[in-house]
Amino acid sequence: MIATHRAVRLIERNAYAYRRQWWLFLTGFVEPILFLLSIGLGVGELVGDIPFGGESVSYKEFVAPGLLATSAMMGAVLDTTFNFFVKFKYTKTYDAMLATPLSPSDLATGEIAWALGRGGVYAAGFLVTMLFFGLVVSWWAVLAVPVAVLIGFAFAGAGLAGSTYMRSFMDFDYVNMAIMPLFLFSATF
């Protein structure tokens, strides 16, 4: 219980640090609109309808849930790699935190929880965007948000662990080398 309380302090610190940069969070809400406009509607016009279970489903309806999942993956990886790396290597934020009663596991738990919180808000925003575009056909779509958070949890842990081995910004090419094939060949499209 004490460890959880200490990890919440890191979430509080991140929220406090980003309070004047609230506009950065808006990019996470713009991304689904751009995804759905470019891929769902743009590419969807080229692809047309897709036969599924004896019915015809529009391409934008087919691709929207997959895009929600991939946005959770991308958001978690980017938050726990780039943001973590800058705080770890350059701003030495964690050196200051470790001088307090926080432990490395508290830092990892707090950073992953912060990434999951952001990912959950972004997934809910994506779902609202899907609703706005008329792509939600069942109330079961609400369960897509916890599933997206679960996807974010898996990739946040991997991103945080991988970024501890990074030595410079050049190592982010390895992150892209892993993420882009996962994104492109994930059967989303």
Side-chain angles (χ1 to χ4, degrees):
M1 186 68 178
I2 294 172
T4 305
H5 176 69
R6 290 190 303 233
V8 169
R9 294 295 168 216
L10 187 95
I11 298 168
E12 181 182 7
R13 180 252 170 233
N14 286 341
Y16 188 73
Y18 283 104
R19 77 184 189 285
R20 293 184 191 217
Q21 297 174 347
W22 58 269
W23 53 272
L24 289 174
F25 290 104
L26 293 180
T27 61
F29 296 111
V30 172
E31 179 185 8
I33 295 169
L34 295 176
F35 267 149
L36 289 174
L37 286 175
S38 65
I39 296 171
L41 298 176
V43 175
E45 290 296 319
L46 299 172
V47 173
D49 291 344
I50 297 172
F52 180 74
E55 297 179 12
S56 182
V57 177
S58 70
Y59 185 71
K60 60 185 176 185
E61 287 177 327
F62 173 78
V63 80
L67 288 175
L68 182 124
T70 57
S71 74
M73 174 188 77
M74 295 286 210
V77 167
L78 293 177
D79 202 29
T80 57
T81 55
F82 184 75
N83 292 344
F84 175 80
F85 180 76
V86 169
K87 289 188 244 181
F88 183 59
K89 294 284 186 180
Y90 292 104
T91 62
K92 304 292 186 189
T93 304
Y94 298 121
D95 290 347
M97 289 182 190
L98 289 174
T100 68
L102 291 175
S103 68
S105 64
D106 295 331
L107 296 178
T109 304
E111 283 296 335
I112 290 174
W114 173 255
L116 293 181
R118 276 181 78 173
V121 169
Y122 289 158
F126 200 114
L127 188 62
V128 168
T129 304
M130 287 171 53
L131 185 65
F132 178 74
F133 281 110
L135 303 175
V136 177
V137 295
S138 171
W139 65 272
W140 286 95
V142 174
L143 296 177
V145 174
V147 170
V149 171
L150 184 63
I151 292 168
F153 180 65
F155 283 95
L160 193 66
S163 60
T164 59
Y165 292 103
M166 292 182 189
R167 297 172 307 281
S168 70
F169 282 105
M170 300 300 288
D171 291 338
F172 281 99
D173 290 339
Y174 296 121
V175 174
N176 287 333
M177 189 174 67
I179 292 299
M180 288 313 290
L182 287 172
F183 175 64
L184 294 173
F185 299 115
S186 64
T188 299
F189 305 110

